[in-house]
Amino acid sequence: MIKGVGTDIIEIGRFKALMDRHPKRFLQRLFTEKERNYCSKFKDSERHFTGRFSAKEAVAKALGCGFGASLSYQDISIENNELGKPIVTFSEEAKKRFDQPKIEVSLSHCQEFATATAIWF
């Protein structure tokens, strides 16, 4: 049974402009250390950061709460399994709050946009 679906799309150029204005503080607020390490190793890291941010937004929409009192950007981490497939991991607090959520996520990006879809089972 599907409990929720979320989707998001973001302009990479707009996200990059925000990254350029406050690089360290901006990235630390939105991404876990694992996410920052993964995305930073790419020459075009803004595409990877934007894709992961889009995935976090899609997950929050699937959970039906958005970001705020019940969910922070640090509660969600978009990582990869051994085959490179993106997977969603949650903080211990978020696992408790949402009763061990199982969410599948798909993300994609081109030169201009990053998009993601999340399904909560």
Side-chain angles (χ1 to χ4, degrees):
M1 181 173 116
I2 295 176
K3 296 179 182 180
V5 176
T7 189
D8 193 66
I9 186 168
I10 302 172
E11 292 178 68
I12 294 171
R14 192 169 148 221
F15 198 83
K16 184 179 182 327
L18 291 169
M19 284 175 58
D20 290 345
R21 264 187 269 168
H22 311 284
K24 188 174 183 178
R25 185 178 58 170
F26 180 72
L27 295 178
Q28 285 179 336
R29 184 175 152 258
L30 298 178
F31 300 100
T32 64
E33 184 177 359
K34 269 187 164 180
E35 290 171 313
R36 291 191 310 269
N37 289 340
Y38 174 81
C39 294
S40 295
K41 67 183 179 182
F42 294 96
K43 180 181 173 190
D44 55 350
S45 64
E46 67 275 359
R47 287 177 39 183
H48 297 274
F49 279 116
T50 308
R52 274 163 168 62
F53 183 78
S54 184
K56 287 182 180 226
E57 289 284 335
V59 169
K61 290 173 184 178
L63 291 171
C65 64
F67 289 100
S70 60
L71 191 69
S72 79
Y73 291 107
Q74 295 294 319
D75 284 326
I76 300 170
S77 185
I78 308 299
E79 300 171 12
N80 296 86
N81 71 10
E82 61 280 353
L83 299 175
K85 177 184 184 286
I87 57 171
V88 182
T89 61
F90 291 95
S91 69
E92 290 303 316
E93 289 179 18
K95 285 179 190 177
K96 290 176 191 170
R97 194 173 303 124
F98 295 98
D99 194 26
Q100 305 295 322
K102 180 177 186 287
I103 295 188
E104 292 290 329
V105 68
S106 177
L107 55 133
S108 186
H109 48 72
C110 62
Q111 290 296 102
E112 295 179 45
F113 298 97
T115 186
T117 300
I119 301 173
W120 182 15
F121 294 94

